[in-house]
Amino acid sequence: MSTSQHKRRFLKMQGLGNDFVIFDARTEPLALSCTDVCNIADRRRGVGCDQLIVIRDSQDADIFMEIWNTDGSRVGACGNATRCVGKLMLDELGQESVTIRTDAGLLTAAHAPGGISVNMGPARMAWNEIPLSDQMDTLHIDLRVGSLSDPVGVNMGNPHVVFFVDDAEAVDLKTLGPQIEHHTLFPERVNVSVATIKDGIIRQRVWERGAGITEACGSGACAGLVAAARRGLTGRKATVQLDGGALEIEWLADGTVQMTGAAMLAFEGEIAL
């Protein structure tokens, strides 16, 4: 951050503990460097967050949502952030639904029982859509790292692999997550989930690329449901229980994935940029 000490207003929001610093750049220009993003996201020296969001004008949607990870990398999609930004826009515009343009495509958010519902777009499953560095069946990816093997690949605007295990709680995700994220099989890196299915509920933990273990990951929950349905472990609709709470996920007949869950404003403030 610069030494000019220009103060910029921000909102801090969270969805199931997945937290975001949100800037509105529609009325006042905002340019952030990777260093700025890292400093703001730092929980000791900045505001602290899992992702940083910038809201900008869009020519073909209600707004454009720019998404940054804590390591300064730009990403295409974030489900929990989309619910949070969707809530802001729904409250501001007073509409039944809002459209949000992201690097990954056009998303739609609306009020729903249990919070905010977002259509996260189509689940992509071809090897070059994940993407993988080698052509293979994404229902059974040829990969073993430590105790984890045979994941399912799904792209939900960002790349995911989902490993089905006997006990998601017992997996050393802090160690295995970064090894898989940076594996040569994934040219754009990858988000890593471990999931256990019990009584029709998907218990899932997520290592997010560029962010580490998070309380919740909306796109990861969507990927988890799609992966489970592809394997025949669940139907096309299920509850996904993450560390921070539950999301209701449905893989619709048109191939898109609907996600519903809570989105809350934590606080607002100013930071020197």
Side-chain angles (χ1 to χ4, degrees), residues 147-171:
S147 61
L148 298 178
S149 64
D150 188 35
V152 181
V154 182
N155 189 302
M156 286 304 314
N158 49 17
H160 289 266
V161 285
V162 182
F163 295 86
F164 292 100
V165 298
D166 292 335
D167 183 2
E169 312 293 343
V171 175

Side-chain angles (χ1 to χ4, degrees), residues 34-148:
C34 290
T35 300
D36 290 333
V37 172
C38 292
N39 288 339
I40 294 166
D42 191 302
R43 297 189 184 276
R44 293 183 180 273
R45 297 175 174 83
V47 182
C49 61
D50 290 322
Q51 278 85 24
L52 184 148
I53 309 299
V54 182
I55 298 173
R56 302 190 187 276
D57 287 321
S58 172
Q59 294 184 343
D60 64 347
D62 289 307
I63 54 101
F64 179 84
M65 182 175 72
E66 189 176 290
I67 311 166
W68 298 84
N69 277 333
T70 56
D71 64 354
S73 60
R74 180 87 170 254
V75 292
C78 177
N80 288 318
T82 305
R83 288 204 318 282
C84 289
V85 171
K87 176 177 172 55
L88 288 178
M89 293 301 101
L90 287 164
D91 292 346
E92 175 185 312
L93 300 175
Q95 300 174 177
E96 292 186 3
S97 65
V98 294
T99 54
I100 300 171
R101 172 64 66 182
T102 71
D103 287 344
L106 190 65
L107 308 177
T108 303
H111 288 292
I116 303 295
S117 182
V118 173
N119 188 302
M120 290 294 292
R124 295 182 172 90
M125 294 162 284
W127 72 273
N128 57 344
E129 292 176 323
I130 303 302
L132 304 178
S133 59
D134 298 318
Q135 183 173 353
M136 66 181 69
D137 179 10
T138 62
L139 185 58
H140 294 279
I141 293 176
D142 184 14
L143 175 68
R144 176 181 290 275
V145 177
S147 61
L148 298 178

Side-chain angles (χ1 to χ4, degrees), residues 156-229:
M156 286 304 314
N158 49 17
H160 289 266
V161 285
V162 182
F163 295 86
F164 292 100
V165 298
D166 292 335
D167 183 2
E169 312 293 343
V171 175
D172 183 4
L173 197 55
K174 186 175 182 180
T175 298
L176 297 176
Q179 294 179 32
I180 298 167
E181 175 190 350
H182 295 279
H183 194 281
T184 56
L185 186 59
F186 306 107
E188 297 180 8
R189 298 186 293 163
V190 74
N191 298 280
V192 183
S193 290
V194 291
T196 301
I197 301 187
K198 184 176 180 180
D199 299 326
I201 294 175
I202 303 172
R203 171 65 179 112
Q204 186 168 340
R205 298 172 59 223
V206 185
W207 172 277
E208 286 197 55
R209 62 173 181 170
I213 295 175
T214 54
E215 289 282 295
C217 177
S219 64
C222 293
L225 180 277
V226 171

